Amino acid sequence: MYTVEINDAGVDRVFAELESRLSDMTEVFNVLGDLLEDRTEKRFEAGVAPDGTRWAPKSQATIDAYVRRGQTADPRPLFGPNADTLPLRRSFFRDAGPRRLEIGTNKIQAAVMQYGARKGAFGQTATGRPIPWGISRPGPSSGSPPKTVT
C-alpha cells in the first residue's frame, strides 16, 4: 500500500476549513473517491496516463497470442481478454473514512501495468511458459502511485 500526503498550502487550507466545519469527512472523501474512480475509467477508455501521455499500443506479438488462444484481440492498450469478466479499468474502488480515502484495485495485473515486470518475473504456467510471457513496460494507470490519500 502506498500513502500520499498532499503538501499544498491551498489544498491544506481547503481541507482545514472543511474539517473545522465537519466532524466526519467521510462524505467529502466519498465524493473525491467517486471523481477519482470516474477519471481513471475515462482515462482507460481514452488510453492515456495520468500525465496525459498516450499508452503504447499492443504489440503485434500480444495480438497474435490472443488470436492463437481464440480470444478477442482488442487493439486498445490495457484492454485484455479478461478471463474473469471484470476488466482492470472497471475494478477500481474506494473506501472512505472520517480522515482517509483509500483508492485501489484487487486486480493482480495492476502492479505490473503500473510499474512493469521482466519476462518470467512471476514464474511459469503449468505448461512452462513464463509469466509474464514478455517484458511489460511500466505505464502508470492510476495516478501517482497512490492507493491511499491521507
Side-chain angles (χ1 to χ4, degrees):
M1 182 181 306
Y2 298 92
T3 300
V4 173
E5 292 184 22
I6 300 170
N7 294 313
D8 179 283
V11 173
D12 286 344
R13 277 192 299 278
V14 169
F15 276 97
E17 178 68 23
L18 284 169
E19 285 180 321
S20 74
R21 295 170 185 252
L22 300 170
S23 59
D24 183 342
M25 294 278 288
T26 303
E27 202 50 43
V28 172
F29 287 132
N30 266 324
V31 170
L32 289 174
D34 190 43
L35 291 170
L36 289 169
E37 280 181 77
D38 184 60
R39 185 174 174 191
T40 299
E41 285 187 17
K42 285 180 178 167
R43 281 189 301 90
F44 267 80
E45 295 290 333
V48 296
D51 66 1
T53 58
R54 300 213 53 85
W55 287 328
K58 282 189 177 88
S59 72
Q60 190 60 50
T62 297
I63 293 169
D64 292 346
Y66 289 157
V67 171
R68 276 193 309 276
R69 293 190 302 248
Q71 296 171 314
T72 301
D74 190 321
R76 294 176 291 179
L78 298 182
F79 279 65
N82 301 307
D84 67 359
T85 70
L86 179 64
L88 176 61
R89 68 186 178 281
R90 300 239 189 270
S91 70
F92 290 91
F93 62 87
R94 71 180 176 291
D95 184 31
R99 298 191 51 77
R100 65 170 175 71
L101 170 61
E102 294 181 31
I103 300 168
T105 177
N106 63 354
K107 300 295 271 188
I108 195 166
Q109 70 268 35
V112 173
M113 299 300 177
Q114 184 82 11
Y115 304 110
R118 71 184 193 292
K119 180 178 180 176
F122 304 112
Q124 298 179 344
T125 66
T127 61
R129 291 191 166 163
I131 304 171
W133 61 271
I135 296 171
S136 294
R137 305 206 187 293
S141 56
S142 59
S144 34
K147 282 177 80 178
T148 305
V149 176
T150 54

